[in-house]
Amino acid sequence: MEERRWFKSMTLYQVWPRSFADGNNDGIGDLKGILSKLDYIKSLGADAVWFSPLYVSPQNDYGYDIADYKNIDPAYGTLDDFKAVLDKAHEIGLKVVMDLVINHTSDQHEWFKKSCAKEEPYTDFYIWEKGRGKDGKKAPNNWMSTFPGSAWEYNEQRGEFYLHLYAKEQPDLNHDNPAVREAIKDVMRFWLDMGVDGFREDVITQISKRRKKDGKLPAGNPLMPASRGMEHYNNGPHIHEFLQDYRSVLAEYDDRFQVGESPMVNPKTALKYVNENRQELDMMIGFQHMEADCIIIPWVHKKFDLVKLKKVYYNWQTKLYHRAWNANYLESHDQPRIISRYGSEKLHDESGKALAVMYSFLSGTQFVYQGQEIGMTSLDYTHAPEGTDPWAQFKDISTFCVRDLMRKFGFKDAKILKTAHTAARDNARTPVQWTGGKNAGFSDVEPWFTVNPNYVGVNVEKEEADPNSLLNFYRKVIALRKKYADSVIYGKFDMYLKNDRQLFVYDKTSEDDKQKLRVVINLSEKSVPRKRVAALIPENAHEILSVYEGELGDKLRPYEARVYLLHK
Ligand code: GLC
């Protein structure tokens, strides 16, 4: 029997603070705004909230570049504001999960400044190497960062290069140095002492870099156009040792949890990390299920492929069963909105609901990203006003990095813009649409980033008032997850029709076999004749959820989804 733990059954709501709610009307989301919306988060049925970084940061990567781990960015408020949020969250029964970004800091962090000056004990806090070439100004090797370009930046003061797997303003910490690990453990204790319940650990599988005998980093596969060198740092040589070290801090406290963001992970690798005996991560945020319409990243777009998606779910659901734990999500601050990707903006509510059904009944912990529950969509950037710079509509550093790389490969801006429209992370970062009023109720003043013009039809206020809205559907789904936790959260997954391009049909059966649900979804814009699924809808099936009202007719309409209780 799977051990029951609080974090396994939770629905975790992700807040990206800058765009969540503006409490002091300066156009930027903040902790006062968050405080005013905690009851709303709770009303969804959520059990916990994860905050994308709130720490002091120059915001080059919107908080994923931390300049002070032990304080709150002034744009978001103060430590006292944070404590007020933490207390209120706990009071109403919400756990609080902090983002912990430890692969890198900001180049504005004191540690980095002191490292540049070779001030002890910070000299080896980062990954420094001498350059190549006569003048030593050629990068130490061919690694490229994830935000394309060289992964090395020259620092005049030290006369050496430092490694940055992300932007040049995000130097990588040297976890091989025990003093770095102690400093991080101290940061963890700071937040755990305050009472936070766990961490979401950023790109955590990348913190250990393979070194050659001489201590330098080996060259990467020259064929890789971005993230070159990844074979030497993804799941690197000391990763398990480091994670166990960090985990030991959690063990000093009662019942805390951590989830690791894990680029390129597959079920086989996940089993090495999410393993009771190893004491490392409680679950991993993988990406394979986000690749059903692209090759690795949304910038390399392909038509949505349900068969591919089902295969991924099948693998994760069956291979981790009773051995590890899944983290199920469809959106985050890094992913374009799901209705615009796997669903249909035309059939907004129907596809939003079908997608909610699809992933909410899978075993594992459920993640919901701000605005997902009301069906926020990606922004259409292709219509910049005449005479304006179309790139001024974007804010995310990685959008510009990919644009520059594509320009280098000879792509024209019109094509790049079109791709950015569907692929940029900016799509997830528009202000949350609270009302149909001014600035979508996000702020009284003009928000820091464009509000999606569809806020008039898609907003919390309107959906609160409509019992059939996507928002209220999410509430229903989350409540059903709890009611049928034995099968939904902890149950065994079986799938039918694996090669069907429109239908996703699966069963969830409780460990004691007493409770069984069947989930039947037409995840396409076209109808499916009922006879294709007739055999899968037994006479005695009791329906517990449906996207469309009324009985199932002779066909499953576009995005029609139904959930049946087969026997108790
Ligand atoms: C993670 C974050 C992303 C950030 C990157 C570098 O992928 O989710 O937003 O840009 O790490 O920290």
Side-chain angles (χ1 to χ4, degrees), residues 61 64 104 147 166 170 200 202-203 261 333-334 425 429:
D61 188 16
Y64 286 89
H104 43 265
F147 299 160
Y166 292 85
Q170 294 166 294
R200 173 268 187 191
D202 193 61
V203 294
E261 188 206 20
H333 64 295
D334 292 335
R425 305 195 304 184
R429 301 177 176 189

Side-chain angles (χ1 to χ4, degrees), residues 420-465:
H421 163 50
T422 55
R425 305 195 304 184
D426 302 79
N427 283 307
R429 301 177 176 189
T430 60
V432 169
Q433 298 161 204
W434 295 103
T435 71
K438 188 178 163 200
N439 303 321
F442 167 76
S443 175
D444 286 352
V445 302
E446 187 168 332
W448 74 280
F449 191 25
T450 322
V451 173
N452 192 319
N454 72 1
Y455 74 94
V456 184
V458 177
N459 65 66
V460 173
E461 187 181 56
K462 181 163 177 249
E463 296 190 29
E464 284 282 10

Side-chain angles (χ1 to χ4, degrees), residues 22 79 157 164 184 210 240 255 361 377 388 419 448 524:
D22 181 8
L79 264 180
Q157 195 180 355
H164 60 91
I184 288 168
R210 177 169 295 115
H240 297 292
D255 218 14
F361 289 84
T377 59
T388 60
T419 312
W448 74 280
S524 79

Side-chain angles (χ1 to χ4, degrees), residues 44-81:
L44 301 172
D47 308 282
V49 49
W50 145 30
F51 295 118
S52 274
L54 289 159
Y55 317 96
V56 178
S57 161
Q59 307 289 339
N60 279 300
D61 188 16
Y62 293 119
Y64 286 89
D65 47 328
I66 297 172
D68 181 358
Y69 284 102
K70 292 188 179 174
N71 216 333
I72 298 292
D73 194 277
Y76 299 146
T78 62
L79 264 180
D80 282 341
D81 293 329

Side-chain angles (χ1 to χ4, degrees), residues 29-168:
D30 51 39
L31 283 163
K32 279 208 174 67
I34 291 172
L35 187 67
S36 70
K37 302 292 184 192
L38 287 175
D39 287 323
Y40 166 76
I41 297 175
K42 181 69 187 173
S43 81
L44 301 172
D47 308 282
V49 49
W50 145 30
F51 295 118
S52 274
L54 289 159
Y55 317 96
V56 178
S57 161
Q59 307 289 339
N60 279 300
D61 188 16
Y62 293 119
Y64 286 89
D65 47 328
I66 297 172
D68 181 358
Y69 284 102
K70 292 188 179 174
N71 216 333
I72 298 292
D73 194 277
Y76 299 146
T78 62
L79 264 180
D80 282 341
D81 293 329
F82 176 75
K83 283 184 196 142
V85 165
L86 183 65
D87 287 348
K88 162 105 197 246
H90 283 163
E91 208 180 286
I92 62 174
L94 284 173
K95 304 260 187 192
V96 172
V97 174
M98 294 298 265
D99 219 306
L100 190 67
V101 188
I102 55 173
N103 178 66
H104 43 265
T105 66
S106 157
D107 61 355
Q108 299 306 306
H109 198 293
E110 280 304 305
W111 298 344
F112 187 69
K113 290 185 187 162
K114 289 181 175 161
S115 196
C116 292
K118 289 198 168 176
E119 213 176 286
E120 291 306 344
Y122 301 101
T123 310
D124 291 327
F125 256 50
Y126 295 82
I127 301 175
W128 293 98
E129 281 194 26
K130 288 254 172 285
R132 291 177 296 170
K134 262 200 217 106
D135 57 359
K137 294 278 177 73
K138 201 166 163 229
N141 70 22
N142 66 352
W143 287 23
M144 284 180 80
S145 86
T146 303
F147 299 160
S150 171
W152 295 97
E153 183 72 12
Y154 187 72
N155 176 265
E156 288 288 343
Q157 195 180 355
R158 242 179 104 137
E160 287 180 312
F161 283 83
Y162 63 86
L163 180 78
H164 60 91
L165 295 183
Y166 292 85
K168 67 178 189 330

